[in-house]
Amino acid sequence: MKNIKISILLLLLIACIQPKKNIEKQASSFVTIPIEFDNNIKQGMKLSDIVENIEFVPLELTDDCLLRGVDHAEVTDEYIYVVDKPDFLSPCVYQFDRKGHFLHKIGTKGEGPEEFISTRGFTLNHETGEIFVYDGVRKRIVSYLPDGTFFKIIDLRQNCDNFEFQDEMFYLYNPYSDEKENKKLTVLNMNGDKQSQYLEKLNLGVVFGNSRVVKTSEEEVLFYEAFNDTVHSFDKEKMNVKYVFDFGQYSMPQIQKREYIESVAQDKPLEHRMQLLGDYITEASGIQETKKWLFFNVVKGSILYRGIYNKKTKEVRIQGNFVDDLYETIGFGDEFVGVTSGKLIASVNTNRIKNAFEKYLPQNVKKGELSASRLDSLTTFFSQYFPIDKNLQQKNMGSTKKRTPKNLSDVLDDMYGSSGEELNPMLMIIKFKE
């Protein structure tokens, strides 16, 4: 089933079409990734073709820990840390043990000296276990020890939409209009002192949410932004171009990009905006990588496609879905939300998986698309993580009634289910074949 998704998440103030001359692109210093659409899209890949192992960690639900989703996760040998989704509404950082049992909350919202008013993400110093929470209102980092004890304040005096920490450096992305700061990216040391800045801001009236600083499984920091074909990497405080996507015939002309952004800023009708987008690809988003694989998303004609680039063979695959029953069951996670020890962390809606086992997979058995024995083995495996109603499963396997959703409530019920207890999200810690 193809995922229908409008890729532009509209936030607030400014946008970012970035002239390519800001960072010089030398032919020997970056990799060009051609984006083409061919019959590989129809064929699809199996998730098992590229995944070596998946560790499933259901996050315990308690009265003190009810999550809408996971915006970001950090995993160590002992603990799991997550923030709720969206992160700026998360009241704290939630700490779990490695089995997913809830331990306690770290930090609290408030105006006290050891509190934060509004989070703009969090990250971890994996060498010390120190937890960094960015307070978007007071433009500072509140630091906590692994047990949740307040440690110190790092005053950055810098606005931030999202940030990362690696090799004793903070990497901040700040798209917001600011008279004092005209750069989007700032690198600071552990004391909050500026080391370097990159990419001039263009005040065009809106901010697009799919621009991020991310840390990869290779402990490298990348930056990608909306309406741009370029992915940058950092070597300490120095920024370089690492990948450039070639959208070919689907590349949106610069004039039309500006027209589209103006239509968003002026809140013109969605139909008008979609007409401007057409079949153009404006950017690659959701970027993450391992030693061998680069993962990304592109949207063409309002349809989300998953891209996979094999860095060893230089092969690019673009497809709507994977084609095996494991993907049909769990998906690829809602999105990648973190990295740990050479692995990627994805978050998935547990209620949706439970609903798949109780409703959709039994229907696939009836249609001959999945064997009963395979469903039974999958059910046995996932039952160790969350309850599956086998009576409901058997009922749906024999049902001939086809339900037509009548409204949005029906659609959401089909996606996430309404049977049984509410469940927190589940993390998938994925080791890919390298």
Side-chain angles (χ1 to χ4, degrees):
M1 181 180 66
K2 289 184 177 180
N3 298 308
I4 308 300
K5 181 178 179 182
I6 298 174
S7 67
I8 308 302
L9 301 177
L10 186 59
L11 297 181
L12 287 175
L13 290 174
I14 67 168
C16 43
I17 300 177
Q18 184 57 46
K20 299 178 183 179
K21 63 183 180 180
N22 285 321
I23 303 294
E24 185 176 353
K25 297 179 180 178
Q26 298 179 352
S28 61
S29 64
F30 66 89
V31 174
T32 299
I33 301 175
I35 303 301
E36 300 174 350
F37 284 77
D38 55 25
N39 59 2
N40 284 342
I41 295 174
K42 298 178 182 178
Q43 294 171 7
M45 273 176 89
K46 289 185 177 181
L47 191 59
S48 56
D49 288 342
I50 60 173
V51 171
E52 180 176 317
N53 177 265
I54 301 178
E55 177 188 355
F56 296 94
V57 185
L59 302 178
E60 182 184 16
L61 183 146
T62 72
D63 291 340
D64 292 326
C65 180
L66 176 60
L67 302 172
R68 290 177 290 266
V70 173
D71 199 290
H72 182 68
E74 295 279 354
V75 177
T76 68
D77 291 339
E78 296 181 87
Y79 301 115
I80 294 172
Y81 305 90
V82 307
V83 287
D84 205 352
K85 192 172 186 176
D87 60 356
F88 63 86
L89 292 179
S90 187
C92 63
V93 176
Y94 297 89
Q95 185 183 35
F96 303 81
D97 66 19
R98 282 295 271 103
K99 297 293 185 181
H101 300 121
F102 176 64
L103 299 177
H104 58 260
K105 298 177 179 179
I106 294 177
T108 54
K109 274 192 172 181
E111 299 185 16
E114 300 178 4
E115 298 175 326
F116 45 84
I117 298 174
S118 177
T119 59
R120 285 293 182 269
F122 87 103
T123 188
L124 207 66
N125 182 339
H126 281 266
E127 293 185 4
T128 65
E130 197 174 346
I131 303 151
F132 302 118
V133 179
Y134 189 87
D135 186 338
V137 175
R138 290 189 277 195
K139 301 180 181 179
R140 66 182 194 174
I141 285 175
V142 187
S143 171
Y144 301 92
L145 298 178
D147 63 0
T149 304
F150 169 79
F151 183 43
K152 63 182 179 181
I153 296 293
I154 304 174
D155 190 4
L156 300 184
R157 304 170 298 281
Q158 182 85 19
N159 209 340
C160 170
D161 187 64
N162 59 80
F163 80 114
E164 270 296 354
F165 175 83
Q166 181 67 32
D167 296 329
E168 299 187 347
M169 295 285 180
F170 292 106
Y171 301 88
L172 276 66
Y173 170 60
N174 172 25
Y176 303 108
S177 182
D178 189 332
E179 294 181 358
K180 297 180 180 179
E181 296 291 345
N182 66 346
K183 301 289 187 180
K184 298 177 192 176
L185 289 168
T186 303
V187 184
L188 307 99
N189 64 18
M190 289 285 290
N191 298 319
D193 302 319
K194 291 179 186 176
Q195 304 300 296
S196 56
Q197 291 186 295
Y198 298 95
L199 303 181
E200 290 184 5
K201 299 176 185 176
L202 297 176
N203 188 359
L204 298 176
V206 290
V207 164
F208 295 94
N210 42 351
S211 301
R212 297 197 67 84
V213 178
V214 296
K215 187 162 53 180
T216 75
S217 67
E218 296 299 293
E219 298 185 344
E220 184 178 31
V221 174
L222 301 180
F223 171 70
Y224 60 91
E225 63 179 333
F227 287 90
N228 205 305
D229 60 4
T230 304
V231 180
H232 298 93
S233 64
F234 287 90
D235 179 9
K236 281 286 190 176
E237 70 274 9
K238 183 180 179 181
M239 187 168 80
N240 304 294
V241 173
K242 185 169 186 180
Y243 300 109
V244 175
F245 289 92
D246 180 3
F247 300 129
Q249 63 179 312
Y250 304 108
S251 182
M252 185 180 244
Q254 197 77 356
I255 294 177
Q256 198 155 337
K257 281 185 181 182
R258 290 185 177 275
E259 186 179 353
Y260 176 80
I261 290 174
E262 288 173 2
S263 74
V264 174
Q266 296 167 11
D267 197 25
K268 290 189 176 182
L270 178 61
E271 294 80 4
H272 175 72
R273 287 181 256 163
M274 297 307 297
Q275 187 176 9
L276 288 173
L277 283 176
D279 270 351
Y280 290 124
I281 300 173
T282 58
E283 77 266 344
S285 62
I287 291 171
Q288 237 328 327
E289 71 173 338
T290 66
K291 184 177 181 179
K292 180 178 179 180
W293 307 98
L294 177 73
F295 301 97
F296 58 93
N297 299 326
V298 293
V299 174
K300 175 179 170 290
S302 300
I303 299 174
L304 175 69
Y305 294 94
R306 296 192 181 277
I308 305 171
Y309 174 65
N310 186 324
K311 294 191 284 184
K312 293 184 178 179
T313 66
K314 312 301 182 186
E315 180 186 11
V316 183
R317 296 292 296 264
I318 307 290
Q319 58 191 59
N321 280 338
F322 293 90
V323 294
D324 48 357
D325 53 36
L326 181 60
Y327 181 81
E328 181 74 17
T329 305
I330 63 173
F332 208 7
D334 295 326
E335 58 188 19
F336 292 123
V337 295
V339 298
T340 179
S341 303
K343 304 172 185 177
L344 300 186
I345 308 167
S347 167
V348 67
N349 186 307
T350 314
N351 295 291
R352 176 166 60 80
I353 303 178
K354 175 179 168 66
N355 192 47
F357 275 104
E358 295 173 348
K359 184 181 295 185
Y360 288 113
L361 294 182
Q363 293 173 0
N364 288 350
V365 172
K366 185 173 180 63
K367 291 184 289 186
E369 297 174 357
L370 179 67
S371 70
S373 60
R374 178 59 173 162
L375 174 59
D376 186 60
S377 63
L378 286 170
T379 300
T380 300
F381 177 79
F382 280 99
S383 291
Q384 64 184 305
Y385 301 113
F386 53 85
I388 298 174
D389 188 336
K390 292 188 176 181
N391 291 327
L392 182 58
Q393 194 178 70
Q394 290 296 321
K395 179 181 176 181
N396 283 319
M397 198 179 300
S399 175
T400 59
K401 184 177 179 181
K402 187 175 181 180
R403 181 171 183 253
T404 302
K406 297 179 180 179
N407 50 43
L408 179 60
S409 178
D410 284 348
V411 173
L412 293 175
D413 182 57
D414 279 350
M415 290 175 63
Y416 301 114
S418 57
S419 63
E421 62 182 310
E422 186 75 13
L423 300 167
N424 264 345
M426 182 164 63
L427 295 184
M428 302 189 300
I429 303 174
I430 308 170
K431 179 176 176 56
F432 290 91
K433 295 178 180 178
E434 304 291 354

